[in-house]
Amino acid sequence: MASDSITTEDKKRTEWKDRYRNRFFLAPMVRVGTLPMRLLCQQYGADLLWAPEIVDKSIVGSERIVDDKTGVISYIKNGKDVFTTHPSEKQQVIFQLGSAEPELALAAAKTVEHDVSGFDLNCGCPKRFSIQGGMGAALMSDPDKLCSILDVLVKNIDLPITCKIRVFDNVEKTLELVRRIAATGISALTVHCRTKDMRPHEKAMWNRLRDIVSELPDLPIILNGDVYEYADVQRARDETGASSVMTARGAAANPSIFRSEGMLPTMDAAQEYTKYAVRTSNNFINTKYTLLQMYPETNTQQFALLRSTRKYKDMCEAMGLAEFYESEGAELIHSRAEPLGNNAKRQSASAIDAAPQQAIEAAAEPSSKRVKT
């Protein structure tokens, strides 16, 4: 009986690893990677969908609410949507955790485990908020804590556990860290091929990945960094030996990057995104911010028109979807999604980590500076 049990467990963990091989994933993105973007990327062919990082304390103690009209599942705390998902993405959505404490990480995972298909520990975010809280890239400098969080999750959650890191300047220090991470029993490791201090405009160091792949031949290694078109996927795998590839800015600029037959015109994808946002009654400010990411030129009349919108009706008109809004959308948008609704102060905690106007102004920056992962 014992050997049968071990064999079954080993088989399950092998299957978990296999889901991270030979694939193309949507990377976690602050603000941008909320439900409408994930559903659209799913439609275009993304194999797995990372949600934006959610801090453990934010999700613990939240209330799970299902919208009868849209089917959207919302985890709500203190009047804010902390995390939203939909049954149609359950088999593909990966919940990314921000944590610095094993017990809190486990409590957070237990809260949402029945609505997601896996968990990823964020060990690479260089933002001050994460670093000061001992989360994100700060965990790379505290491998005991990092591995203790992964160990608790692997042993107590019956879903695949992964983590996402950056690289150190020192190659051997990086290899030492990944060896320890792999020993926790995770199902895959994502490596953002930049150091903590490197900015997005600096070229990702794909060459640093091959040593990691060689060091961990049995663990799926996922490349992140500078993937802007479908052809980059195979090129990245050929150059580095990576098992799979994920993209953030490529998808933010045009979500149809996941189409093997080629990308669609950006505005076609933007229209589809708008429809998903309306159908899921997504936070308006978040929808507007994400749409503005898709415009390569910010000095156009169309960009200015979209930027001036204040509610979904105006947005749909600006996107050429007035008929869609009147026939379908108007009945789906609940008051808390609109900035002028009865609950105007309610915003998505995972989608907007800046004041609304700050978020919109940020979208007017050059595209290379916008998205944070």
Side-chain angles (χ1 to χ4, degrees):
M1 293 294 291
S3 78
D4 288 344
S5 175
I6 293 173
T7 301
T8 301
E9 181 69 17
D10 288 345
K11 180 180 178 181
K12 177 177 68 175
R13 294 193 177 277
T14 297
E15 291 175 350
W16 284 352
K17 286 184 177 181
D18 287 345
R19 77 197 294 252
Y20 296 97
R21 301 186 196 277
N22 306 316
R23 301 287 188 268
F24 189 17
F25 305 139
L26 175 67
M29 288 185 281
V30 176
R31 304 188 189 108
V32 174
T34 48
L35 181 59
M37 175 61 75
R38 299 198 304 271
L39 294 179
L40 181 58
C41 290
Q42 179 189 50
Q43 174 184 316
Y44 287 144
D47 294 299
L48 290 175
L49 313 158
W50 264 249
E53 175 195 31
I54 304 291
V55 175
D56 50 19
K57 294 178 182 178
S58 298
I59 198 73
V60 172
S62 59
E63 181 182 9
R64 182 182 185 273
I65 301 293
V66 180
D67 188 312
D68 292 335
K69 285 186 178 180
T70 63
V72 171
I73 300 165
S74 299
Y75 284 83
I76 299 173
K77 186 175 181 179
N78 298 327
K80 294 181 180 179
D81 293 349
V82 180
F83 173 62
T84 59
T85 184
H86 191 275
S88 62
E89 68 166 358
K90 181 178 179 180
Q91 300 305 315
Q92 292 170 277
V93 65
I94 305 297
F95 188 98
Q96 190 181 61
L97 267 172
S99 184
E101 298 180 34
E103 295 77 12
L104 273 174
L106 180 58
K110 286 291 186 182
T111 301
V112 299
E113 64 179 336
H114 298 298
D115 288 316
V116 302
S117 68
F119 290 94
D120 184 73
L121 180 64
N122 183 349
C123 307
C125 180
K127 292 177 64 177
R128 181 186 298 179
F129 171 78
S130 288
I131 299 294
Q132 289 182 337
M135 301 178 292
L139 288 173
M140 292 179 59
S141 298
D142 192 347
D144 289 342
K145 180 182 290 184
L146 190 167
C147 291
S148 69
I149 296 172
L150 291 176
D151 188 61
V152 166
L153 292 174
V154 168
K155 290 179 178 177
N156 293 280
I157 297 295
D158 193 28
L159 289 170
I161 305 299
T162 62
C163 76
K164 186 170 185 281
I165 65 169
R166 293 190 175 222
V167 295
F168 291 115
D169 289 317
N170 183 278
V171 173
E172 184 51 43
K173 188 176 180 181
T174 303
L175 294 179
E176 181 180 349
L177 176 65
V178 300
R179 283 193 292 266
R180 292 195 59 182
I181 289 173
T184 65
I186 61 171
S187 296
L189 172 67
T190 298
V191 180
H192 185 156
C193 298
R194 292 183 173 91
T195 65
K196 175 174 65 71
D197 296 324
M198 289 177 68
R199 302 276 54 91
H201 67 272
E202 298 179 78
K203 186 177 180 180
M205 300 182 294
W206 286 10
N207 61 300
R208 292 291 305 276
L209 201 68
R210 187 162 288 279
D211 286 339
I212 297 173
V213 172
S214 298
E215 189 71 25
L216 305 173
D218 297 326
L219 186 68
I221 305 298
I222 304 164
L223 177 147
N224 179 214
D226 289 355
V227 176
Y228 299 114
E229 56 186 43
Y230 194 85
D232 289 337
V233 176
Q234 191 58 50
R235 183 170 66 87
R237 293 182 62 199
D238 290 343
E239 291 184 17
T240 68
S243 305
S244 293
V245 175
M246 65 166 52
T247 182
R249 287 183 291 157
N254 189 331
S256 68
I257 186 176
F258 294 100
R259 284 168 42 94
S260 59
E261 59 270 47
M263 283 193 286
L264 298 171
T266 302
M267 287 302 99
D268 287 2
Q271 282 190 326
E272 285 299 304
Y273 172 82
T274 305
K275 290 179 181 179
Y276 272 114
V278 170
R279 287 169 176 154
T280 57
S281 200
N282 191 53
N283 177 281
F284 174 84
I285 297 295
N286 175 242
T287 299
K288 182 175 176 179
Y289 174 86
T290 304
L291 278 173
L292 292 175
Q293 300 289 315
M294 299 184 195
Y295 282 78
E297 300 296 333
T298 61
N299 58 352
T300 65
Q301 184 176 356
Q302 189 174 12
F303 182 90
L305 179 61
L306 178 60
R307 193 166 185 258
S308 69
T309 60
R310 294 292 180 267
K311 53 186 177 180
Y312 266 112
K313 182 179 180 180
D314 297 338
M315 175 183 286
C316 287
E317 290 176 356
M319 295 299 297
L321 297 171
E323 184 176 340
F324 161 78
Y325 180 83
E326 294 300 332
S327 64
E328 182 178 345
E331 296 183 358
L332 297 176
I333 298 296
H334 50 59
S335 60
R336 71 176 184 269
E338 298 271 27
L340 301 180
N342 294 329
N343 299 307
K345 294 183 180 180
R346 180 175 182 171
Q347 297 175 10
S348 171
S350 63
I352 302 295
D353 63 356
Q357 193 56 39
Q358 288 176 319
I360 298 304
E361 289 173 355
E365 295 179 350
S367 58
S368 63
K369 296 181 180 180
R370 297 182 200 167
V371 176
K372 297 179 180 179
T373 61

